Amino acid sequence: MYSRQHIVAAARGDERMDTVIREVNLVNVFTAEIYKADIGIKEDRFSAVARYEKGQPIFQMQGEKEVNGRDRYAIPGFIDCHVHIESTMITPDMFARAVLRHGTTVAVIDPHEIGNVLGIEGVQYMVNASKGLPVKILTTIPSCVPAVPGVETAGAEFGPEEIADLLQLPNVVGIAELMDYVGVIKQNPRMAGIVQKGLDYNVLNEGHLPRVSGRNLHAYLAAGINSDHESRTVEEIVEKLRAGMLIYIRESSVSQFADIAAKAWEQLPFVSNIAMCTDDVEPNDMLKNGQMNRVVRRCIEEGIPAPLAIRFATLNGAIRYGLRDRGAIAAGYRADFSLVDSLETLEVQDVYIAGEQMVKDGEVIVDITSDIPPLNINTMCIPELNERDFVISTPIKNGKVTLNTMEMTDIGTTEKGILELEVIDGKITKLPADYVFASVTGRHGQNSKPFVGVLKNAGIQAGAYATTVAHDSHNLVVVGKNASDMLVAARNLEKSGGGLCYVKDGEVMAKVDLPVAGLMAAESIEELSPKVEKFNEVARSFGVKVGRRSPSMALSSLTLTVIPEIRISDLGMVDVATQELMPLFVE
C-alpha cells in the first residue's frame, strides 16, 4: 500500500523521488501535447511532472534512481476496453505476460468463449486466474450464452439470474457485449432482463451493434447500452458518435477498422466518445504486430494525431471504467507507463507498473504466473461419427435440388446464396470448385450428428479444416472438400480436447492442441505462436483466405449467429435478421 504522505512530500521537494525519468518527451493526454519533461515517481505514483522551459525543467527533482529519457516518449499504460483472452489461445497469466510487453496495463475481458463451453465454472476460472497479475484484468459478464437461444446449442445457458450471480464476482465492471441486438431492440424477456440487471447493479452494459442505424440504433441506446466495437462504415460510426454512443476503434486479427474510424474522426475532430480495443488477437499476430500498440499505431498511420490516438487508448478507457487514477501521466496517478523510441512504430522497450520496471528492452523481467491451475476438462463430448455424417442427404433419390448456401464476403460478413446440385443415390458428395461442405457438430453433449451445409468463398482447394474455436457456442466446425478428410480432422480434435486441425488425403498436415475448453493452451505465447503460424502456412497453401482474416481465425465466425446475414450452427442455417432457422433445401 502506498503512503500518500511520502508522495506529497516528494512533490513538495522535501523527499527524494524513488525514480526520475529525465528529459523524456511526455505525451500529455489531457491536452494532446508532446513536450519535454522530467517525471518523478514516488512509491507507486507519479509524484510530480516538471515541464521544460528554455531548456530547463520548471523545478528540480532528485531521485534515488534516474533514467535517461532523452529522445524517448513516455506514454500512459494502454487500456484495452474489450478483449477475449481465449482468442489469444493462452491462459490469463500468459496473456498478461504477453500484453505487458506491448504496453497494455489494463484489460477489460469478456470470457464468453469459455462461458459458452463451461458455463459458470468457466467464467469463475477466468476471474480467479486473472487475480494478482501485474496487468489489471477487469471482467464483464457474458450476456450471450448462447448468443441466440433456439438456433444454436452451447454448453450452458445464462439468463438474468445467472448474470446477477456472476456480477457479484470480484473485479467485475459490467455485462459484456450484448450481441443479441435484435432481442434487445425487440425487448424479448431474456435480453431485456439481462440489460436490466446491469442497470440494477449500476454496472456498464457493453454493446455489439453491427450495421444498425436509425430508429433501431436509438432503441438500443434507450435500452441502456451505449458502446459498440462492431461499426463497419464511416457513416455508421458518425451516426453512432452523434447519438452519444462510445465507439471502440478495433484492430483485431479478424477485423480492422482504424481506417474508417480515422475518416469518421476527420468529420468530427472534436469528438470525445472514442476509446480502443483489440477484441480478438491470435498469438502469432500479437507476437509479430503487437496488441493495443498496434491499434494506436494504425490510427496514427491513418491520420489521427499521435497524442490524440494515445488519449483514445488510455485516458478515455480509464474514464469509461471509472479508473480515476489511471490513463495519464500526472501527479497522483498510478505510475503505469511505457517508454518508446518512436510514435510511428510504437515498439515498446520499457514498461513500468506502479513505478516498478517490468519490461526492459522489450523483454519481461519479472515472473508472471497464476496460482490457479489450468482448467483442463475434456470438453469434446461428441457422438460417434462416420463418413456418411459429412455428406448431404437429399429429399430425392436422383435428379437436381436447389440449396440455400452461405457466401463469405471480404469484410467478414456473409450473404445468402442459391446453388443447384446433382443428386446421386440420395446424396450430394461433390461441389463446384469455389464451394465446400461446412459442418457443425455439437460438442457439449447434444448427442446429435453434424448439420452439413454448403459454403462459398472459403478458399479451400483441398482437404479439410476443423476447429473448436467457433464463436460463440464453440461447437466443432469442420469445413472441407470431402467427407473422409473431414472425418479424420474431427476425430483428431476429439482426441486432443479441441483446437485446430488441417487434413489432406487422410494425413494431418498441421495441428494446434487447445486442451483448456478447446480454446486455450497453458503455454507461453512464444511456445504457442509457432504452432499457430505453421497451421496458417498450411491453410494458406491449400487456399484458405477469407478477406483480411488470419487463416486460424478464418472460419471462427461461421457460427456467430449475431453477425449478418447467414450463419450456421449445430441446428442448421440461421437467418440472423429474423433469428430463425432456415431450410437447407429450396422448395
Side-chain angles (χ1 to χ4, degrees), residues 336-412:
D336 295 351
F337 68 103
S338 299
L339 297 176
V340 303
D341 291 338
S342 165
L343 294 183
E344 283 71 42
T345 63
L346 273 176
E347 292 182 3
V348 175
Q349 281 81 42
D350 302 303
V351 181
Y352 293 75
I353 298 285
E356 178 186 352
Q357 187 169 12
M358 295 196 172
V359 176
K360 182 177 181 180
D361 298 327
E363 298 297 328
V364 178
I365 59 174
V366 295
D367 184 38
I368 300 176
T369 55
S370 172
D371 294 332
I372 306 300
L375 194 60
N376 285 320
I377 298 174
N378 189 342
T379 59
M380 291 298 294
C381 187
I382 64 175
E384 185 175 346
L385 300 174
N386 56 59
E387 286 190 21
R388 294 188 302 276
D389 296 323
F390 293 99
V391 298
I392 297 176
S393 298
T394 60
I396 63 171
K397 183 74 171 175
N398 293 289
K400 292 185 177 181
V401 293
T402 302
L403 278 70
N404 287 313
T405 65
M406 181 167 63
E407 299 185 1
M408 305 195 78
T409 70
D410 288 340
I411 62 172

Side-chain angles (χ1 to χ4, degrees), residues 22-48:
R22 294 284 186 199
E23 297 187 62
V24 74
N25 294 309
L26 170 68
V27 178
N28 188 320
V29 293
F30 296 112
T31 60
E33 294 179 281
I34 300 173
Y35 49 77
K36 186 182 292 186
D38 289 347
I39 300 171
I41 300 167
K42 186 68 174 179
E43 299 190 3
D44 67 347
R45 304 271 143 177
F46 298 115
S47 178

